[in-house]
């Protein structure tokens, strides 16, 4: 997983409330088990509407999505996080998230930032013309207009995102401890160790 420390750039001023995972990625995209290519299907229904922010060249490649309350509700499909990641989203800012979506986003290297509605409203305005700065180490969202919003994050999630550690990375980080345990266990219970004929 890619390390996430600072994310600078334009943000999609989306703002829609109660966006469920079927809106993020419609069900017919779930036939794949590959994470690649799902960005094309992200917000597919909304992108059929003229003037949508996701196809506006001004926001193309934006790494930040500003959403409304209760983002990611509905099903537990991990494809929603995959689609956002494939779209290039590294941070989603909203007043609240579905717990399952937030967990899936974290496991896919996407930071979910919870801020009060007033802060989200302000960032929506800034995003229409200027970039936004997210600093995970400092746990802040700032703008060039002196806006500064502090956010909370679980220390374990912060550690993993800063270090680029997914579940495999965390396990590999304990490789020496695991090897020591296996060597000790093999001495205590040798009948469990496979032998080569």
């Amino acid at each position: 997983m890619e390390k996430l420390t600072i994310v600078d750039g334009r943000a999609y001023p989306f703002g829609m409330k109660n966006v469920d995972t079927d809106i993020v990625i419609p069900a017919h995209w779930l036939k794949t088990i590959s994470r690649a290519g799902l960005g094309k299907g992200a917000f597919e229904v909304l992108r059929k509407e003229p003037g949508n922010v996701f196809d506006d060249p001004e926001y193309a490649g934006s790494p930040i999505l500003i959403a409304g309350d209760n983002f990611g509700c509905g099903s537990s499909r991990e494809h929603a996080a995959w689609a956002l990641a494939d779209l290039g989203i590294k941070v989603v800012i909203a007043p609240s998230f579905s717990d399952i979506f937030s967990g899936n986003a974290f496991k896919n290297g996407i930071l979910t930032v919870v801020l009060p509605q007033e802060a989200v409203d302000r960032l929506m305005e800034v995003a229409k013309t200027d970039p936004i700065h997210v600093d995970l180490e400092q746990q802040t969202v700032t703008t060039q207009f002196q806006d500064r919003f502090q956010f909370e994050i679980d220390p374990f999630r912060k550690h993993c995102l800063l270090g680029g550690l997914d579940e495999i990375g965390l396990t590999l980080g304990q490789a020496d401890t695991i090897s020591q345990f296996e060597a000790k266990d093999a001495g205590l219970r040798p009948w469990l160790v496979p032998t080569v004929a």
Side-chain angles (χ1 to χ4, degrees):
M1 192 163 78
E2 187 177 324
K3 292 181 180 180
L4 193 150
T5 53
I6 291 173
V7 178
D8 265 318
R10 296 297 302 273
Y12 294 103
F14 181 44
M16 183 181 282
K17 296 180 180 179
N18 300 313
V19 171
D20 66 37
T21 52
D22 195 50
I23 294 175
V24 177
I25 186 77
H28 68 91
W29 286 88
L30 308 188
K31 298 172 187 169
T32 181
I33 56 171
S34 171
R35 300 175 188 203
L38 289 177
K40 292 182 294 188
F43 303 104
E44 182 180 61
V45 174
L46 299 176
R47 292 168 86 170
K48 291 178 181 173
E49 298 175 11
N52 74 81
V53 296
F54 299 106
D55 291 324
D56 185 331
E58 188 168 344
Y59 304 111
S62 294
I64 303 167
L65 173 67
I66 303 175
D69 202 24
N70 196 27
F71 186 81
C73 59
S75 76
S76 59
R77 64 183 68 161
E78 190 173 4
H79 292 66
W82 295 357
L84 293 179
D86 196 57
L87 192 61
I89 302 294
K90 298 180 183 304
V91 179
V92 183
I93 301 170
S96 69
F97 294 92
S98 154
D99 285 343
I100 295 174
F101 170 79
S102 183
N104 286 338
F106 157 67
K107 290 181 178 181
N108 286 280
I110 298 172
L111 171 64
T112 53
V113 173
V114 175
L115 289 176
Q117 185 66 55
E118 302 77 35
V120 172
D121 290 344
R122 171 62 183 154
L123 292 172
M124 284 280 292
E125 284 305 308
V126 172
K128 292 175 183 172
T129 54
D130 292 280
I132 290 173
H133 179 85
V134 179
D135 186 328
L136 175 56
E137 182 68 43
Q138 298 301 316
Q139 298 179 211
T140 57
V141 179
T142 57
T143 73
Q144 62 181 326
F145 304 106
Q146 310 307 316
D147 300 295
R148 186 175 193 277
F149 304 108
Q150 196 81 36
F151 64 87
E152 298 296 319
I153 183 171
D154 174 82
F156 174 73
R157 287 188 175 188
K158 181 178 180 179
H159 167 75
C160 291
L161 290 171
L162 286 172
L165 299 170
D166 58 13
E167 290 159 333
I168 294 172
L170 285 169
T171 302
L172 291 174
Q174 299 296 319
D176 289 344
T177 303
I178 294 169
S179 294
Q180 291 169 8
F181 170 81
E182 288 180 342
K184 180 180 177 183
D185 190 55
L188 295 172
R189 303 185 300 166
W191 60 90
L192 294 177
V193 179
T195 56
V196 178

